[in-house]
């Protein structure tokens, strides 16, 4: 299934990265030309720009323009627009990298951060370093969106799905490793066959709607981004039983009710009980 189309801002950031990377290669090539002995033929600024534009088009099929005047300025020790604006940002490049890694780590643990929470973290970091120089209102309302665009190769915003906090706390490397060790040991000890091995999962269905939230997660994450929330499985519970040989039994749905209604069995393609 195809993913969500990139916004115009995301496309602009990606194109800028591609342009800067290609320009850096052109600068290196031009400096190498200058190091050649005087009796050797050297390529000029315009020639190098045309050569790299053609190489990029042949490889990617997308035209890109390199300015020979920009190439000359960068070769003389100038800075790109990105480098020139580094000192104007509230966070240093190292601090921004730390924040991006922090967002990825929190998302992997089921505690993804929203726009509001990201702004709170950034305000504390900048205020601790800048003191009175940092405005009392904190960073601007669009700062988080621009931050996400700058680091769109690592992180993205996605709609979260609620996950019961008890289930979230049970998901950790130590518990998982111990579970699989015990399972393998018992299967080997008692010679348990796949046809007699069943896994039963109890899935609590929590309320939807307002519980979804736009949060930061890893760019290349597959599947939904879960967000731990307090709650119970009293309202609705789904039991699923799957055999190790690939077969399964129909699911069972458990929820509160004073009496059974025949209409519940209608529109039931899985024949759930």
């Amino acid at each position: 299934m195809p993913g969500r189309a990139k916004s115009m801002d995301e496309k602009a950031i990606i194109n800028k990265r591609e342009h800067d990377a290609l320009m850096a290669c052109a600068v290196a090539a031009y400096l190498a030309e200058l190091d050649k002995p005087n009796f050797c033929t050297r390529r000029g600024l315009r020639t190098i720009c045309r050569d790299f534009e053609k190489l990029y088009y042949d490889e990617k099929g997308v035209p890109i323009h390199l300015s020979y005047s920009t190439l000359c300025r960068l070769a003389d020790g100038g800075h790109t627009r990105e480098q020139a604006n580094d000192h104007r940002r509230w966070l240093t490049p190292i601090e921004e990298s730390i924040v991006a890694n922090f967002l990825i780590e929190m998302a992997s643990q089921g505690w993804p951060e929203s726009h509001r929470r990201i702004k709170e973290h950034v305000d504390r970091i900048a205020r601790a370093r800048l003191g009175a120089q940092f405005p009392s209102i904190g960073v601007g309302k669009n700062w988080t969106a621009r931050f996400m665009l700058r680091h769109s190769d690592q992180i993205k915003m996605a709609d979260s799905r609620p996950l019961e906090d008890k289930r979230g706390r049970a998901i950790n490397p130590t518990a998982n490793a111990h579970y699989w060790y015990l399972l393998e040991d018992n299967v080997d000890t008692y010679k348990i066959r796949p046809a007699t091995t069943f896994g039963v999962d109890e899935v609590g269905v929590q309320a939807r709607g307002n519980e979804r939230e736009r949060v930061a997660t890893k760019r290349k994450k597959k599947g939904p981004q879960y967000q731990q929330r307090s709650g119970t499985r009293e309202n609705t519970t789904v039991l699923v039983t799957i055999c190790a040989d690939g077969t399964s039994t129909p699911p069972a749905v458990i929820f509160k009710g004073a009496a059974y209604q025949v209409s519940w069995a209608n529109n039931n393609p899985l024949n759930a009980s």
Side-chain angles (χ1 to χ4, degrees):
M1 181 177 179
R4 180 180 62 87
K6 293 183 174 62
S7 66
M8 297 301 295
D9 290 337
E10 287 178 308
K11 292 179 181 179
I13 288 292
I14 294 174
N15 292 338
K16 185 67 170 59
R17 291 198 192 107
E18 294 287 328
H19 176 275
D20 290 347
L22 190 63
M23 181 61 79
C25 295
V27 170
Y30 179 66
L31 294 177
E33 292 291 330
L34 295 180
D35 290 337
K36 288 182 178 180
N38 294 332
F39 57 85
C40 293
T41 303
R42 297 173 179 172
R43 289 185 298 170
L45 295 168
R46 289 181 174 86
T47 302
I48 290 179
C49 288
R50 286 195 300 266
D51 289 346
F52 276 92
E53 288 173 358
K54 185 178 185 304
L55 286 173
Y56 186 85
Y57 183 81
D58 292 342
E59 180 181 355
K60 301 294 181 73
V62 178
I64 194 169
H65 174 68
L66 297 181
S67 170
Y68 74 91
S69 59
T70 301
L71 174 58
C72 180
R73 177 172 56 82
L74 295 178
D76 287 339
H79 298 288
T80 63
R81 182 179 301 177
E82 189 81 8
Q83 294 170 339
N85 290 332
D86 280 345
H87 71 282
R88 300 177 184 177
R89 295 178 181 164
W90 292 122
L91 298 185
T92 65
I94 295 178
E95 289 172 339
E96 286 205 358
S97 178
I98 292 175
V99 172
N101 292 332
F102 170 76
L103 297 179
I104 295 175
E105 178 65 22
M106 293 301 293
S108 66
Q109 297 179 13
W111 300 104
E113 302 286 357
S114 63
H115 272 285
R116 179 182 59 81
R117 289 287 298 163
I118 296 173
K119 182 182 182 304
E120 292 175 356
H121 293 314
V122 172
D123 288 344
R124 284 197 291 266
I125 294 173
R127 190 170 287 113
R129 180 168 54 84
L130 300 175
Q133 299 178 5
F134 187 68
S136 58
I137 61 174
V139 297
K141 63 179 181 179
N142 295 325
W143 189 95
T144 305
R146 293 195 297 269
F147 170 82
M148 297 297 296
L149 283 175
R150 286 197 297 273
H151 298 274
S152 59
D153 58 329
Q154 295 179 271
I155 51 181
K156 65 178 180 179
M157 299 301 293
D159 291 329
S160 66
R161 293 190 183 181
L163 176 68
E164 187 182 351
D165 55 356
K166 297 182 182 64
R167 295 173 67 87
R169 288 195 297 269
I171 302 174
N172 60 79
T174 302
N176 287 344
H178 187 60
Y179 168 80
W180 291 111
Y181 169 78
L182 292 177
L183 178 62
E184 183 179 10
D185 182 63
N186 280 275
V187 169
D188 293 341
T189 301
Y190 300 103
K191 310 299 181 184
I192 301 176
R193 295 179 292 111
T196 58
T197 304
F198 295 87
V200 181
D201 190 15
E202 179 186 14
V203 181
V205 180
Q206 295 186 332
R208 289 295 191 267
N210 294 332
E211 293 208 9
R212 286 179 177 265
E213 189 177 13
R214 199 73 175 165
V215 295
T217 185
K218 188 176 181 180
R219 163 60 64 180
K220 297 182 179 180
K221 175 178 173 54
K222 296 182 179 179
Q225 173 58 60
Y226 289 103
Q227 187 175 26
Q228 294 190 40
R229 294 179 181 273
S230 59
T232 65
R233 298 175 221 173
E234 290 185 358
N235 294 331
T236 306
T237 301
V238 180
L239 296 178
V240 182
T241 304
I242 300 177
C243 183
D245 63 3
T247 60
S248 63
T249 62
V253 183
I254 304 173
F255 56 92
K256 291 182 178 180
Y260 179 78
Q261 298 182 24
V262 178
S263 61
W264 290 345
N266 298 336
N267 298 323
N268 186 10
L270 296 179
N271 193 29
S273 58

